[in-house]
Every structure is written in C-alpha cells, then in structure tokens.
Amino acid sequence: MTFGPSPRSGPRPLDSTAAALCVLDLGNGLWKDYSRAYRILRNVLCNKIMAEFSPTTETELSHKHLTPELKLHLITPTCRLWTSPPPHSPFLDPFWAFYWPGGQAVSRFILDNAHLVKGKRVLDFGCGCGASGLAAKTSTAKHVTFNDIDKVALEAVLLNGYQNNIVVDSLLSSNLIGSPSGQYDVVLVGDMLYDTDFAHQVLCWLQNLHESGSLVIIGDPGRFALESHPLKKLLMCLGKYELTEATILENRGYTQAFVWTFR
C-alpha cells in the first residue's frame, strides 16, 4: 500500500447532509415506533452522502475480517488506492478505510460478549470505520458515541451504519484525551497504541477512566508501544484472536490480536 497524505487535500468538514443525518438519528430516540417517515428521510440523506462522498467509490464493502456480520467500506487490494501514490489520494491518511487488527479483536469480543455493553453508554475512541461502536450497537448498547478527530472517518461511520441498518447515535470529532469519563460506562479502544509517546498519553488517560469506574477494553496486535509500557503490567488479557490472511497482509505480518482491560 502506498497511500498517504495528499498535498492537495485534507479531511473535509462534516457537511450539512451528514450533520442532518446525525441530528435525525439523535432524534430517533424520541420516536418510539421507528416510524416510516424516519426511515424514508434517513435513506434519502444516506443516499445523498453516498452520491457525493468518495469513500463509496474509493472503497469496497468488505466482510473478510473477524466480524463478517458487519459490512464495512474499506480499501482492499482490489481498490485503486491500494497501490496509488500519495498525491493521487483524495484523503489525508485514510486510516478509517482499514480495519486494523486491534479494532477487529475488540469488535469480535463485543459481539461475543454482548452483556458487557447491553444497556450501557459506550465510547468508541478513535473509532475509524466505526466497527467497534457498531458492534456495541448490535449488542444493544444504550447509546454509542463515535469519536475520531478525522471528520471524514465520522462520515464513513454514518455510511457503515447505514449499510448495516444500524442507527448512529452521536459523532464527536474533538480530542478526548485527558477528559473525564463520567458519561461513559464502557470505553472501546482499538489500535491507538501505535506510537510510544502517544501510547503513553492514551494509556495514562485510560487508566484514569478505569479508576473512575469505566470498563476500558483495548485491542492491539502486540505493538512495541504497548508491550514495552510500564502500565502493561496492570492489564489482563480477555481474548486472543487469529487474524485473517488479508489482515496479516495489511499489517506487516501480525498474526494475532489481543483484547485487554485493566485489572
């Protein structure tokens, strides 16, 4: 893969159509009958995003991962951007277009252990394509907040939710590191411990969330930033997953992914 930052473009802001869809989904909590009018309007808005938003043309819907229950817009070997040089990419670092191994492990774990999020308020931190949050919604979480500083990722979350007939509760593009966790019962974190310095910030924040009462669930394939960190000794492994051949190819030979939480 040779995608990368494009000197010509960056993440475009969440446009009015996507914002309207988000507001509509938020309001759906008040529409107890999930009315026909709601479904029609939501379909119109999603179709408008798909007509205007290039992730639908630069990705393909894939289920070749640990959670085949979820169809996700991803860059795969059949897509143009898999081999395109950075200047030809319309996106600035499209991390949301790849289903990273830690995120796959967290999503699989949640789908297999739905009781952990049932009726809970969930944060999908650094959500990317949104798979872990969508898994939580499928597992009857009360409310899921999808958080990513890349606003293009949040539009991809809307489209992935639409493709799976899952309502996206709320989207948040602010940097949450250091913020309190009082409004979240469960915090899902996949593949955010990729850099030593950044991993330190994230792990210290996650430890604080844990101490404040949140259940923190971390997915990682064994990167150095986590394995070498002093806080690793405070974690216990909840699950280990063998990665698919396609995921191994995408991730420099990592063959497994692990799910961790604080003791």
Side-chain angles (χ1 to χ4, degrees), residues 33-67:
D33 61 347
Y34 203 78
S35 71
R36 181 170 179 270
Y38 165 83
R39 293 195 302 271
I40 292 173
L41 182 54
R42 187 169 188 273
N43 287 345
V44 168
L45 290 173
C46 279
N47 286 332
K48 187 173 188 294
I49 293 176
M50 285 192 288
E52 299 175 349
F53 187 38
S54 54
T56 58
T57 58
E58 298 288 3
T59 62
E60 71 169 357
L61 279 174
S62 174
H63 57 81
K64 297 178 181 179
H65 40 69
L66 292 182
T67 55

Side-chain angles (χ1 to χ4, degrees), residues 119-133:
K120 302 294 180 61
R121 301 163 301 167
V122 176
L123 170 66
D124 186 355
F125 170 67
C127 64
C129 68
S132 295

Side-chain angles (χ1 to χ4, degrees), residues 83-235:
T83 55
S84 294
H88 294 171
S89 172
F91 310 112
L92 179 65
D93 291 335
F95 298 120
W96 52 266
F98 296 89
Y99 197 5
W100 305 98
Q104 291 194 40
V106 169
S107 303
R108 182 72 266 161
F109 181 78
I110 292 300
L111 289 170
D112 293 341
N113 297 274
H115 64 282
L116 294 176
V117 297
K118 182 178 181 180
K120 302 294 180 61
R121 301 163 301 167
V122 176
L123 170 66
D124 186 355
F125 170 67
C127 64
C129 68
S132 295
L134 296 175
K137 284 292 293 182
T138 299
S139 302
T140 65
K142 180 180 180 180
H143 186 280
V144 176
T145 298
F146 296 83
N147 167 240
D148 201 295
I149 60 173
D150 184 348
K151 294 180 181 179
V152 180
L154 299 181
E155 295 197 31
V157 169
L158 289 173
L159 293 177
N160 287 329
Y162 174 69
Q163 290 293 343
N164 293 279
N165 197 30
I166 297 173
V167 173
V168 173
D169 294 321
S170 60
L171 305 170
L172 191 61
S173 62
S174 55
N175 184 349
L176 296 181
I177 297 175
S179 64
S181 69
Q183 57 185 311
Y184 305 115
D185 304 305
V186 182
V187 179
L188 308 178
V189 185
D191 300 288
M192 294 299 288
L193 309 177
Y194 51 83
D195 171 84
T196 302
D197 293 337
F198 185 63
H200 179 70
Q201 296 179 46
V202 173
L203 282 169
C204 290
W205 174 59
L206 294 178
Q207 182 185 27
N208 289 336
L209 300 189
H210 162 70
E211 293 174 350
S212 298
S214 295
L215 172 62
V216 176
I217 299 177
I218 301 168
D220 188 86
R223 295 185 182 92
F224 178 79
L226 173 59
E227 296 301 313
S228 63
H229 199 281
L231 289 180
K232 172 70 184 303
K233 65 184 179 183
L234 300 181
L235 301 178

